[in-house]
């Protein structure tokens, strides 16, 4: 029960924070307009590019699965976290944009359905990270490799010109991807050496 409550709370917090950061980074939204041209707007833009990316949402479900421990609980926690994050995201969007929540109904249902399906899989993957050997390594590589693939296929570049915020976001993602993949491989080889030595 504690895992489910934790997944729900983490999802609500992540979804609301992502929407709020998006609003703060936009000069076209009431929340972000006063920050235009300030260092806070730039910081919000970097956070927006990091948090509002598919790999970050996937990482939420994987992290909840890892915390849950078993694959069954991990799948449930991952799905619950993504569904809660989606709901909180659109509720916060409606609030920051001063629009009726009903106008987000189609997107909410569509992304909650995707959150259920992907959350089940990614939560189970997160729980599998705890396993030793090749299976654990492959599970641990899911988010770093997914982030790297997204950076190649769909980089965080909403504009044709590179801005310092975009460059910084890309550097952070590539660095985190390399470090995450390196940790997964190191853990795998360290576990193998321990088995061989024992």
């Amino acid at each position: 029960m504690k895992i489910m409550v934790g997944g729900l709370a983490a999802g609500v917090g992540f979804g609301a924070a992502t929407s709020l950061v998006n609003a703060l980074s936009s000069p076209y939204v009431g929340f972000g307009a006063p920050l235009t041209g300030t260092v806070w707007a730039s910081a919000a833009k970097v956070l927006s590019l990091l948090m509002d990316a598919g790999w970050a949402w996937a990482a939420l479900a994987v992290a909840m699965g890892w915390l849950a421990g078993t694959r069954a609980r991990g799948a449930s926690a991952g799905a619950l976290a993504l569904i809660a994050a989606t709901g909180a995201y659109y509720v916060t969007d409606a609030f920051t944009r001063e629009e009726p929540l009903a106008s987000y109904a189609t997107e909410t249902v569509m992304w909650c359905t995707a959150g259920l399906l992907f959350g089940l899989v990614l939560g189970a993957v997160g729980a599998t990270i705890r396993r030793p050997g090749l299976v654990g390594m492959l599970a641990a590589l899911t988010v770093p490799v997914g982030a790297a693939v997204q950076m190649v296929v769909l980089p965080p570049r909403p504009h044709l010109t590179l801005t310092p915020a975009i460059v910084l976001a890309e550097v952070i993602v590539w660095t985190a991807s390399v470090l995450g993949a390196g940790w997964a491989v190191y853990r795998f080889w360290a576990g193998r050496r321990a088995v061989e030595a024992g």
Side-chain angles (χ1 to χ4, degrees), residues 164-194:
I166 292 170
V167 172
L168 180 57
E170 290 187 0
V171 167
I172 290 170
V173 174
W174 279 115
T175 302
S177 296
V178 169
L179 291 174
W183 171 80
V185 172
Y186 169 78
R187 182 175 160 265
F188 169 73
W189 284 112
R192 264 188 98 164
R193 281 195 300 270

Side-chain angles (χ1 to χ4, degrees), residues 91-117:
V91 167
T92 308
D93 255 17
F95 172 72
T96 59
R97 295 170 187 245
E98 299 178 351
E99 296 174 344
L101 184 58
S103 65
Y104 295 95
T106 303
E107 291 94 340
T108 303
V109 170
M110 180 183 74
W111 286 111
C112 278
T113 303
L116 172 63
L117 299 174

Side-chain angles (χ1 to χ4, degrees), residues 117-133:
L117 299 174
F118 285 107
L120 289 170
V121 173
L122 292 167
V125 166
T128 306
I129 291 172
R130 294 176 180 272
R131 292 185 61 186

Side-chain angles (χ1 to χ4, degrees), residues 19-38 40-42 44-45 96-97:
S19 174
L20 187 57
V21 165
N22 286 347
L24 291 172
S25 70
S26 173
Y28 308 109
V29 178
F31 277 68
L35 301 178
T36 304
T38 68
W40 301 109
S42 297
K45 189 62 176 175
T96 59
R97 295 170 187 245

Side-chain angles (χ1 to χ4, degrees), residues 139-149 173 176-182 184:
L141 286 171
T142 301
V143 172
V145 170
V149 168
V173 174
S177 296
V178 169
L179 291 174

